[in-house]
Amino acid sequence: MLTTNEYLTPVLAEVCAALGLPGNDPALAGAARNKADMSRRFARCGVTAPSTHSVATEDELLRLRATGQLTYPSVNKPADGAGSAGVTVVHSAAEAVSAMRAAREPRGMYGMPLDPRILVQEFAEGTEYSVESITQNGVSSHLCLTRKTVAGGAHRVELGHGLPAALPPEVETTVITQVERAIAAVGIRNGASHTEVMLAPDGQCVVIEIGARLGAGQIGFLIAHALGVDPWAACLDVALGRAVHLAPTRNGYAAVRFLTSPHPGRLASVTGLPLTSHRVPTVHMRKAIGDRVDDLPHNGARLGYFVVTGPDADTVDAHADDLFRQIRIEVVPHTHNQLGWGQVRPANTTAMSE
Ligand SMILES: Nc1ncnc2c1ncn2[C@@H]1O[C@H](COP(=O)(O)OP(=O)(O)O)[C@@H](O)[C@H]1O
Ligand SMILES: [Mg+2]
């Protein structure tokens, strides 16, 4: 059995265990989903991670401040979140209280009950990477590192990914050591994982989070384009107990760039989008002209994306930058007689052009 949905990974581990199928440790699978449990497992298993408090009420948050345990900047995030929803970088106690309220806003999937706790985490400086891994019978293969471009400011929405990222071998060894500890800490024995790390200029590697699933945000497609490896087939092979095929058959590079709204309002036009081609296999808009759009509180607010492939990081990044510069996104203020959030309407892309 298999899921690509992070919210379902704990129940999948239970079902696999009950049926005797290859899966993850059901006693630990919740820690690959719930960041409060994850933080405890990381501490116990020697994973280097930001120092973390979990708080259930504003009073508990204020007590942390009163006892001098809050340092700034810090990161507030929901214990049960995903997709950067409800994650805020805060610089003061006042911001921490409003960030705590914001962290409570995201809703889970399928009506699942959410853990009301909020994590208050030390801010880790550095450059963000993820590691894409496939584990079978407790042995992990790391397909690649992914370089992540993340928005600065209060909300760290992911703006782009590029892979495979190259790091000096000794730094890569440090990263993989942490990732393997994280994989073991949350009981991943059979399946994919996506581990997000922050690499400080001094080479220290801090694990931000791990999910027992393939990386989202087109990372699976980037792996297929750049390395010629089908990560979904690999997940199926692991789920079925078959040998996995992870040897790269290509030696390329692939990147995705996400389009975002400059401010909240109504999407009026998008011009200059790239055409699909051999080097630009995917161009996709998630929002239609006339849709309400938001600025950047979470990954789900992104407007669309395009993928660029090529022989190496420099070529692909330069091409992607060039294409990105040609895109113009016009957003006009929202007025009350227009359609609101969540109302179903036919997509209208007539104002989009190359
Ligand atoms: N402790 C931290 N220090 C620095 N940046 C962080 C920290 N925690 C989260 N972030 C930033 O916020 C983003 C989203 O947080 P994350 O913990 O990955 O939550 P989610 O499960 O919603 O992706 C991360 O990709 C990273 O850019
Ligand atoms: Mg994340």
Side-chain angles (χ1 to χ4, degrees):
M1 292 192 99
L2 177 60
T3 182
T4 53
N5 182 327
E6 185 183 311
Y7 284 87
L8 299 179
T9 53
V11 73
L12 178 74
E14 301 271 0
V15 172
C16 287
L19 297 178
L21 297 171
N24 293 333
D25 183 342
L28 296 176
R33 174 81 272 288
N34 181 303
K35 293 184 173 77
D37 299 342
M38 189 183 299
S39 157
R40 268 205 311 278
R41 288 295 301 165
F42 282 178
R44 180 171 303 182
C45 299
V47 179
T48 307
S51 97
T52 300
H53 301 278
S54 35
V55 296
T57 62
E58 282 179 25
D59 282 349
E60 283 180 36
L61 180 71
L62 295 174
R63 262 202 300 282
L64 278 185
R65 183 182 69 157
T67 52
Q69 294 180 76
L70 284 188
T71 55
Y72 302 108
S74 65
V75 181
N76 280 26
K77 60 175 92 168
D80 256 349
S84 296
V87 180
T88 311
V89 178
V90 301
H91 295 88
S92 67
E95 281 180 17
V97 171
S98 55
M100 180 162 186
R101 290 176 193 157
R104 290 240 165 88
E105 278 171 18
R107 296 276 152 261
M109 293 184 104
Y110 312 123
M112 288 174 172
L114 280 185
D115 184 336
R117 285 175 297 174
I118 305 301
L119 272 66
V120 182
Q121 211 164 57
E122 170 194 7
F123 181 83
E125 297 280 356
T127 311
E128 197 164 339
Y129 293 85
S130 58
V131 181
E132 322 310 328
S133 313
I134 302 281
T135 303
Q136 187 168 41
N137 300 323
V139 178
S140 296
S141 303
H142 307 290
L143 289 170
C144 61
L145 275 78
T146 304
R147 172 85 162 80
K148 298 169 99 79
T149 308
V150 179
H155 301 295
R156 302 288 159 129
V157 171
E158 295 175 348
L159 300 178
H161 308 304
L163 66 83
L167 289 172
E170 66 282 5
V171 180
E172 200 163 303
T173 303
T174 305
V175 171
I176 296 301
T177 301
Q178 290 298 330
V179 167
E180 298 220 326
R181 282 184 198 164
I183 286 172
V186 300
I188 294 172
R189 295 189 304 217
N190 284 292
S193 57
H194 169 78
T195 311
E196 297 178 347
V197 304
M198 202 66 86
L199 208 52
D202 67 0
Q204 214 213 8
C205 172
V206 168
V207 178
I208 300 288
E209 67 154 341
I210 184 168
R213 55 165 176 83
L214 285 177
Q218 307 306 308
I219 285 175
F221 292 98
L222 301 187
I223 290 171
H225 282 299
L227 307 179
V229 172
D230 181 339
W232 296 281
C235 290
L236 270 175
D237 285 337
V238 171
L240 293 170
R242 301 191 303 217
V244 281
H245 304 285
L246 299 174
T249 58
R250 283 187 208 158
N251 185 21
Y253 190 88
V256 59
R257 296 291 167 92
F258 294 99
L259 310 181
T260 59
S261 175
H263 52 82
R266 190 172 57 80
L267 186 61
S269 70
V270 180
T271 56
L273 281 177
L275 288 175
T276 55
S277 67
H278 174 53
R279 290 296 187 206
V280 186
T282 313
V283 180
H284 179 70
M285 285 300 293
R286 300 174 60 203
K287 299 282 181 187
I289 302 304
D291 277 356
R292 278 187 74 155
V293 294
D294 211 345
D295 48 6
L296 275 182
H298 55 85
N299 291 346
R302 296 175 302 202
L303 309 182
Y305 59 86
F306 62 92
V307 171
V308 180
T309 65
D312 56 64
D314 287 348
T315 310
V316 169
D317 283 338
H319 190 189
D321 287 346
D322 186 40
L323 293 172
F324 198 85
R325 274 193 294 272
Q326 296 175 42
I327 300 171
R328 293 280 172 274
I329 294 166
E330 191 193 354
V331 173
V332 297
H334 183 71
T335 53
H336 286 299
N337 57 359
Q338 285 156 349
L339 290 169
W341 288 108
Q343 287 182 257
V344 178
R345 53 191 293 290
N348 169 9
T349 56
T350 48
M352 292 179 194
S353 70
E354 299 93 49

